[in-house]
């Protein structure tokens, strides 16, 4: 159900990283294709390879080829690290959005299923880390999206209440995690998953462009 953004103003904005804040779509796709070819001896369709992006990498590999998950994981990471800086991209408008949200005085966080070492690599290439008050990576919690634990940790760190927090992401796991945490959710249309996959989960909001997110944080005339 899409709420009218004008009805609500949020004070804590939590973002997914891959496919939401940084464009790692080519990087992830090429890493999967490589691992699939090298380890399984064939290239699985992209829809299969990318079906569980947004969950921790080892879990994704277990779903692709349980017996060879360890080998898939290592091969993926070797390729991913070797090609990281050449394939990662920024999304036009995202840095301006983060800057503007910061100026409007809200708290910002990242909640990602990426491991902390690859989060560091992403921030090295796309230097947006200073905009965020906290970063929750896969290493920080026992459970991962769609479990709400990583979001609850981010809210604790930001001292943010449920009803003033929104989680913004490109994956069905992001929407499910936000719903499980009891906070507002927003799907974005510039990431890895097709709009239909997000909309069928009925996020509270859906955005086609980064600057539309500012509607959740109107400038107050005080
Ligand atoms: Mg994502």
């Amino acid at each position: 159900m899409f709420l009218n953004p004008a009805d609500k103003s949020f004070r804590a904005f939590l973002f997914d990283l891959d496919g939401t804040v940084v464009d790692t779509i080519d990087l992830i796709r090429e890493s999967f294709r490589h691992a699939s070819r090298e380890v399984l001896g064939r290239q699985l369709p992209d829809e299969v390879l990318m079906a569980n992006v947004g969950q921790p990498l080892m879990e994704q590999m277990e779903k692709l080829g349980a017996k060879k998950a360890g080998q898939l994981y290592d091969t993926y990471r070797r390729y991913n690290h070797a090609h990281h800086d050449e394939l990662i991209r920024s999304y036009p408008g995202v840095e301006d959005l983060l800057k503007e949200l910061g100026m409007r005085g809200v708290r910002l966080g990242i909640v990602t299923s990426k491991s902390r070492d690859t989060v560091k690599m992403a921030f090295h290439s796309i230097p947006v880390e200073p905009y965020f008050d906290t970063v929750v990576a896969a290493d920080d919690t026992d459970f991962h999206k769609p479990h709400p634990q990583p979001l609850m940790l981010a809210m604790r760190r930001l001292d943010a209440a449920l009803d003033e927090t929104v989680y913004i992401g490109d994956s069905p796991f992001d929407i499910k995690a936000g719903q499980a945490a009891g906070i507002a959710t927003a799907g974005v249309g510039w990431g890895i998953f097709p709009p239909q996959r997000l909309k069928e989960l009925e996020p509270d909001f859906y955005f086609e462009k980064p600057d539309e997110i500012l509607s959740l944080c109107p400038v107050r005339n005080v």
Side-chain angles (χ1 to χ4, degrees):
M1 184 181 307
F2 299 97
L3 303 172
N4 179 356
D7 293 344
K8 185 90 185 116
S9 179
F10 295 94
R11 297 181 58 220
F13 286 67
L14 303 178
F15 289 85
D16 166 55
L17 185 60
D18 285 307
T20 301
V21 169
V22 296
D23 181 356
T24 42
I25 298 177
D26 286 349
L27 175 64
I28 291 171
R29 187 189 298 115
E30 292 307 318
S31 302
F32 266 122
R33 286 176 174 174
H34 173 80
S36 161
R37 278 194 305 265
E38 290 290 309
V39 178
L40 304 177
R42 65 192 196 285
Q43 191 170 300
L44 298 174
D46 288 343
E47 312 84 80
V48 175
L49 293 172
M50 309 282 277
N52 294 296
V53 171
Q55 296 200 299
L57 188 59
M58 186 56 95
E59 288 180 30
Q60 295 185 57
M61 294 317 190
E62 283 162 2
K63 286 172 185 160
L64 279 184
K67 284 186 191 152
K68 294 190 168 177
Q71 225 179 319
L72 282 165
Y73 177 89
D74 291 340
T75 308
Y76 176 105
R77 280 184 43 107
R78 261 198 309 277
Y79 183 96
N80 190 281
H81 289 201
H83 296 270
H84 182 276
D85 294 354
E86 136 210 357
L87 292 176
I88 193 169
R89 310 254 185 278
S90 60
Y91 282 118
V94 164
E95 185 163 3
D96 287 344
L97 165 71
L98 299 173
K99 199 180 291 178
E100 182 61 31
L101 285 171
M103 286 190 336
R104 293 186 188 189
V106 301
R107 284 159 287 174
L108 301 179
I110 290 281
V111 176
T112 176
S113 299
K114 252 173 141 62
S115 55
R116 190 156 288 278
D117 62 339
T118 51
V119 172
K120 276 196 181 133
M121 288 174 68
F123 284 150
H124 183 74
S125 295
I126 314 288
V128 291
E129 187 174 13
Y131 295 109
F132 294 100
D133 302 297
T134 190
V135 176
V136 174
D139 320 51
D140 294 341
T141 56
D142 294 328
F143 298 99
H144 304 103
K145 297 182 279 185
H147 195 283
Q149 191 183 49
L151 290 169
M152 304 309 284
L153 175 60
M155 281 186 278
R156 224 170 25 249
R157 287 179 179 173
L158 295 180
D159 194 23
L162 293 174
D163 65 355
E164 63 182 12
T165 305
V166 58
Y167 187 42
I168 299 156
D170 71 309
S171 132
F173 305 115
D174 300 329
I175 307 304
K176 286 182 185 170
Q179 290 169 341
I183 61 177
T185 56
V188 302
W190 54 86
I192 290 166
F193 290 86
Q196 201 41 45
R197 289 281 311 278
L198 298 182
K199 288 181 179 174
E200 69 195 12
L201 293 172
E202 301 189 338
D204 299 293
F205 309 100
Y206 184 82
F207 298 113
E208 302 281 358
K209 292 201 311 259
D211 65 352
E212 294 170 6
I213 293 172
L214 292 172
S215 64
L216 300 182
C217 178
V219 179
R220 292 184 193 83
N221 295 314
V222 286

